[in-house]
Amino acid sequence: MEAVFKTQRLLLRYANEHDAAMLLTLVNQPNFIKYIGDKAIYTHSDAKRYIEQSFRAAHKHQGFGPYIITLHNGEVVGVVGFYKRDVLQLPDLGFALLTRYEKNGYIFEAAKALLQNRHTLGIKQVSAICTANNIASQCVLLKLGFNRVGKAVINNDKTAVIIYGY
């Protein structure tokens, strides 16, 4: 599938049904559940439905959404994208990697490319949210140029998240 955005090492592309197995693995990793939450995606069918309802629908209705991150050889490493949440005024940057690809700078590289191209998606300002104990993601956000602007409770579990602005 054709890349929407390219970097030196990565391609960002739209999700398709062939990404369901990777997505199923990604969202059920311990760190994903710990820092992002349980998305209740437990089967291949759940993952395909999630791709349709969250990835494809977002791009269709908002003009932006999550992308699949691959290496230039097509190997899938994770996801990055802009998300529109009812509880936030601005689209927020979100990302996740398969564990075996962490600590290679892939999220920084993919997120930077997305931020640099946000205007082509009709996005001027961006936010990001992060749990207080997710130090790695906080470091990525700060390195990207985000600033901490406050805290908010946005989930049913009543845990405060840190809000960043860009």
Side-chain angles (χ1 to χ4, degrees):
M1 189 170 251
E2 190 173 319
V4 179
F5 303 107
K6 295 179 182 181
T7 72
Q8 184 177 353
R9 301 181 296 163
L10 306 171
L11 305 173
L12 279 60
R13 63 166 175 79
Y14 296 116
N16 63 59
E17 65 182 24
H18 301 294
D19 296 312
M22 177 281 302
L23 189 66
L24 183 61
T25 300
L26 178 72
V27 300
N28 287 294
Q29 294 177 142
N31 277 349
F32 188 99
I33 293 169
K34 178 180 179 179
Y35 296 125
I36 297 173
D38 186 343
K39 297 288 186 187
I41 299 170
Y42 307 121
T43 68
H44 194 264
S45 294
D46 292 342
K48 286 172 69 173
R49 189 169 30 261
Y50 187 75
I51 288 169
E52 189 61 40
Q53 294 173 351
S54 296
F55 283 66
R56 291 182 178 168
H59 285 283
K60 181 179 178 181
H61 299 295
Q62 300 165 173
F64 61 84
Y67 298 91
I68 300 296
I69 306 168
T70 72
L71 301 177
H72 279 241
N73 67 6
E75 191 173 347
V76 178
V77 300
V79 298
V80 65
F82 295 123
Y83 298 82
K84 181 64 185 127
R85 300 178 200 276
D86 292 337
V87 296
L88 297 174
Q89 292 179 349
L90 302 171
D92 77 285
L93 175 70
F95 46 79
L97 276 182
L98 290 167
T99 303
R100 67 182 174 272
Y101 297 104
E102 291 176 353
K103 299 184 182 183
N104 289 299
Y106 294 144
I107 284 297
F108 176 80
E109 188 173 327
K112 183 177 177 183
L114 209 52
L115 287 167
Q116 289 172 337
N117 289 284
R118 72 188 183 282
H119 296 290
T120 66
L121 303 171
I123 298 173
K124 293 179 182 172
Q125 292 181 288
V126 179
S127 63
I129 57 174
C130 190
T131 58
N133 60 345
N134 190 344
I135 304 304
S137 290
Q138 290 177 48
C139 289
V140 169
L141 292 171
L142 293 171
K143 186 176 177 183
L144 285 166
F146 280 82
N147 296 304
R148 187 175 172 159
V149 295
K151 287 186 177 183
V153 175
I154 63 169
N155 295 320
N156 293 335
D157 69 2
K158 307 294 184 215
T159 304
V161 294
I162 302 168
I163 299 179
Y164 292 85
Y166 182 88

